[in-house]
Amino acid sequence: MADLGNLKNTAEIVRKHQFNFQKKFGQNFLIDSNILDKIIESAKLTKEDCVLEIGPGIGTMTQYLAEEAGEVVAVEIDKNLIPILEETLSTYPNVTIMNEDILKVDINRIVQEHNGGRPVKVVANLPYYITTPIIMALFESHVPLQSVTIMVQKEMADRMQVGPGTKEYGALSLAVQYYAKPEIIARVPASCFMPRPNVDSTVIRLTRYEKPPVDVEDEAYLFAVIRASFNQRRKTLANGLTNAGNLGVNRQMVEETLEEMGLSAMIRGEALTLEQFAELSNRLGGKRV
Ligand code: SAM
C-alpha cells in the first residue's frame, strides 16, 4: 500500500471512497511525512511495544506505527472509515481496527486483551474536540501506560506543560503533571493537514511517572480540590473550595488550612504549585466531614 503521508495519496483515497469529512469528529488527516517520522521517532517504538492509536482516520499514522511496533490497536469512531482502513492496512497483520468511541470503550480491557495488562504506548493525532476527556480517561482510569505521544491544538499543549502564575495554568496542567513528564516535540502548522484546521498544532510526549511526584492520600479528592479551585477562575481559592459542595469542608476549615500553609485567604488557585495542591488536599481531606 502506498505511503499515505502526503497530499496526493490521501486525496486519492478520499476520492476513491467518496469519503465525506465529518467536522463533528475533528477529522484533519496528516499529509506530512516529516511530521509523521518525528512522531514515530519520539514515541521510541520497538517490536516489543503494543501501541494504542486513537482515531486512525484513513490509517496514515497507523502504517508508520505498524512498521515499528509489535502490535497496533486502532480505535476509530467513524464507521465510514472502517472499509478504508481495511484496505489501507491490509498488508499489516499486526494491526487490529476497532470501530468504537474511545470515551466509551473499556481501554483497560483492550490493554489486558492485547498486551496482557502490560503498559502500552498511546500514539495519536487526537480529535481536538475531546483532547482533555481522552487524556483524563487514560490517566484517571489508570490505564497501564508507558507514554502518550499526541498531536493536539497548540494551546492545549501549552496548558499541559506550564506552571503556576500563567493564564494557561489550570486543572489540565496539574492532572498531566501529576501523572507524567510533558515534553514538546514539534510545532506543526495547519498546512500539514487535510483539510486544514483553523489552529496550529503541537506534538507533545507525556512520559508516565512510575510514582507521582507528590504524596497524596486520596487522589480522587486531590482532583476534586483542583477542579473546585479552577471552576470559578476569577474568584479566590477559598470561595471556590467553599462553594464546591462536594468537598465536605466549610469556609472556616478552608481558611484555617490556608493559614496553616502560610497562604493568604485571598490567594487564587492559579498561584499554587502541584506540591501545594497535594498538601492542601491532604490537609482538607483530614478535616472534611
Ligand atoms: N490519525 C489520522 C491522521 O493523523 O491523519 C486522523 C486524525 S483526526 C485529527 C482524528 C480522528 O479521530 C478521526 O479519524 C476521527 O474520526 C477520530 N475520532 C473522533 N472522535 C473519536 C472518538 N470519540 N473515538 C475514536 N475516534 C474518534
Side-chain angles (χ1 to χ4, degrees):
M1 184 68 211
D3 171 14
L4 293 168
N6 57 67
L7 176 61
K8 181 173 164 284
N9 291 346
T10 298
E12 208 169 291
I13 286 283
V14 166
R15 196 170 42 243
K16 179 175 162 199
H17 289 267
Q18 297 180 321
F19 176 71
N20 289 317
F21 287 90
Q22 299 237 43
K23 224 176 166 168
K24 70 169 181 192
F25 288 145
Q27 291 175 340
N28 301 95
F29 299 158
L30 260 169
I31 51 167
D32 187 305
S33 59
N34 291 324
I35 298 293
L36 283 152
D37 285 338
K38 214 168 207 170
I39 295 172
I40 302 300
E41 187 194 321
S42 67
K44 301 180 192 161
L45 300 176
T46 72
K47 287 287 171 199
E48 304 296 304
D49 287 321
C50 175
V51 172
L52 171 66
E53 186 189 8
I54 299 163
I58 58 170
T60 311
M61 192 153 76
T62 327
Q63 294 181 332
Y64 285 65
L65 294 169
E67 294 282 347
E68 301 299 322
E71 188 178 356
V72 182
V73 181
V75 178
E76 173 56 60
I77 197 172
D78 186 351
K79 68 175 183 340
N80 294 327
L81 285 167
I82 304 305
I84 303 183
L85 288 165
E86 277 162 3
E87 179 184 320
T88 60
L89 301 171
S90 60
T91 53
Y92 295 103
N94 57 342
V95 175
T96 306
I97 304 159
M98 296 177 70
N99 184 201
E100 298 279 357
D101 180 342
I102 194 66
L103 295 179
K104 297 204 178 123
V105 75
D106 183 346
I107 307 176
N108 276 303
R109 193 163 153 194
I110 297 179
V111 176
Q112 191 57 45
E113 283 172 3
H114 288 268
N115 208 34
R118 290 181 304 278
V120 294
K121 291 182 174 169
V122 173
V123 186
N125 171 14
L126 286 185
Y128 293 173
Y129 72 107
I130 44 171
T131 299
T132 302
I134 290 176
I135 291 174
M136 295 314 290
L138 289 171
F139 285 143
E140 279 195 293
S141 48
H142 292 269
V143 173
L145 291 173
Q146 279 186 49
S147 60
V148 178
T149 307
I150 42 176
M151 175 93 71
V152 298
Q153 188 177 333
K154 177 184 172 300
E155 288 71 18
M156 290 301 245
D158 292 343
R159 271 193 229 169
M160 288 181 216
Q161 55 134 30
V162 292
T166 54
K167 72 174 189 330
E168 293 84 11
Y169 185 61
L172 181 65
S173 329
L174 286 153
V176 164
Q177 292 165 32
Y178 176 76
Y179 290 111
K181 178 169 145 232
E183 288 163 280
I184 302 275
I185 303 297
R187 300 287 184 191
V188 183
S191 57
C192 294
F193 301 88
M194 175 189 177
R196 284 182 184 213
N198 296 325
V199 293
D200 285 334
S201 303
T202 295
V203 179
I204 187 167
R205 181 179 61 214
L206 313 174
T207 308
R208 184 86 153 91
Y209 291 128
E210 273 179 30
K211 190 174 153 299
V214 291
D215 285 325
V216 173
E217 277 149 31
D218 181 342
E219 209 175 281
Y221 194 70
L222 168 71
F223 286 106
V225 166
I226 289 174
R227 284 200 186 95
S229 306
F230 288 96
N231 258 350
Q232 300 169 295
R233 246 197 127 89
R234 272 165 293 145
K235 299 230 168 110
T236 61
L237 179 63
N239 275 337
L241 296 173
T242 311
N243 298 341
N246 63 340
L247 298 177
V249 290
N250 58 31
R251 180 168 297 276
Q252 196 195 336
M253 295 173 192
V254 170
E255 288 183 352
E256 196 181 278
T257 307
L258 291 177
E259 200 179 322
E260 286 164 12
M261 291 176 62
L263 298 172
S264 150
M266 299 306 289
I267 201 162
R268 289 173 202 280
E270 66 222 38
L272 266 62
T273 62
L274 175 61
E275 290 70 21
Q276 287 172 313
F277 271 112
E279 184 179 349
L280 179 64
S281 116
N282 288 343
R283 285 177 183 269
L284 282 180
K287 291 185 182 154
R288 74 185 132 161
V289 285

